[in-house]
Amino acid sequence: MSGAVTSRFPHVRQDVAASLVVFLVAVPLCVGVAVASGVPAELGLVTGIVGGIVTGLMPGSSLQVSGPAAGMTVLVYEAVDTYGLPALGVIVLAAGLLQLLMGALRLGRWFRAISISVVEGMLAGIGLVIIAGQLYAAAGLQAPSSGLDKILGLPGAVVDMLGDSEALISFAVGAGTVLVMVLWRRMPGPARAVPGALAAVLLATAVTLALSLPVATVEVQGLLDAVQPPGADAFGQLASIGLIGTIVAFALIASAESLFSAAAVDRLHDGPRTRYNQELMAQGAGNTVCGLLGALPMTAVIVRSSANVHAGARTKASRVLHGVWLLLFAALLPWALALIPLPALAGILVHAGWKLIPFRQITALWRAHRGEALILVVTAVSIVVVNMFEGVLIGLALAVVKTAWEASHAKLEVIDKGAGPIQVYLWGNATFLRLPRILETLESLPEDRPVELDLSGVHHLDHACRTALENWAERHGTPVKVSGDGVRAAAADPEQPVTPA
């Protein structure tokens, strides 16, 4: 029987082993992301289950694993805080349907055109907000609402913590969790088979129970009690413009994170490449189901996906099975969640937030492309100061302006030999962005001398430049010689028309 299964599914052993590794990585992350998002812990597991079973069965990316992501934590927390937990299902459902529509319209590949600097800036900003917020959670303190207030309030939080023994103990558990995760990579080979996040949570739980430490633990509702499909009142909030904007933000950010993750996962293996439009529809189908269940939004998660590849997964069976193991865990062992200390989950998210900040990329960009590094930093800072959606829009706008400026390369050269006409040569792409400099040069020329304006080297002349050059030629009191097909303007004196070259 075993031989028949192996012959029909030649990679079953590798996929089963990989699915168990991904399951062990996913459990603490699913629970931690849910708690940090301000929703019941079970909803994180529900999203992980749907990401494994529903999205895992669909075509798109064969080895990418989906579930609740730290990168969406800030946006989800803001949405729940603003509109309430019942509205979360409506937001996620609508975002999923929007993803399905974008996939059907074959827009998946266009997400690859988004500036890498904006995406990395988004992740860096999210990482900073996560770290700041979870430092409060590790100490059992109430975090301020905005990202900027979280960072500015840290000195005061340290003072409060130092005056509270229970807060110090709680923070020590969180710091110990981070320390275990950092040092776990140096453990002997057999020990490293256990994921660092799981090992850190198990150790923190064991120490908390053994020493009866006064730290908060996860509140458990039960899987069925936590699942709350959105009701009619929640759908009524769709009339809110703010809610619509949140839906668009969920859809765009989740899609971008998933498809960028797919590109990264493709570089880790030699198997079939991701089909981006189908992967976008798979993510949309998963989020639609999550919305119907009132769960967290899902994205593809690079941590779980890379663990899946490195564990030897060969087919999509591994990601589906990881969803099955999550379902069995949530159904049969819900009491285990109640033993997990909250500061341990905060430590896991502090570690995850730190990994979202691309320190090496910032340094490399600054050396090679300072403009891109500036976009990354501005996007991150905007997310901290304002919010995630508007921060990403600021980053995208800055990237567009930078691209337009770089694409508008125009070189202007004036040759005046003292006798005869002044020769002006213009090359490149003459757009409105370069127009002030062009006009400043032309208007500085003496008005009592003839001018030959040579545009034969111009590749592109936009409407603003064309109109401005025509007006300048008409105002000029002497003949203007124009080469190329850029400008055809009459001289100010109709008796002395423009002389084409």
Side-chain angles (χ1 to χ4, degrees), residues 418-443:
I422 299 173
Q423 296 175 321
V424 179
Y425 297 92
L426 185 62
W427 296 277
N429 298 315
T431 69
F432 69 95
L433 293 173
R434 304 289 177 173
L435 186 55
R437 176 173 169 269
I438 294 172
L439 288 179
E440 182 179 347
T441 300
L442 292 176
E443 290 171 353

Side-chain angles (χ1 to χ4, degrees), residues 117-132:
S117 298
V118 174
V119 175
E120 290 183 339
M122 177 190 76
L123 295 177
I126 292 169
L128 289 171
V129 176
I130 289 175
I131 291 171

Side-chain angles (χ1 to χ4, degrees), residues 234-246:
F235 281 100
Q237 295 191 59
L238 286 172
S240 167
I241 298 298
L243 190 74
I244 299 297
T246 301

Side-chain angles (χ1 to χ4, degrees), residues 391-408:
V392 170
L393 291 180
I394 290 171
L396 287 172
L398 191 58
V400 170
V401 171
K402 174 182 173 293
T403 301
W405 180 261
E406 290 182 344
S408 180

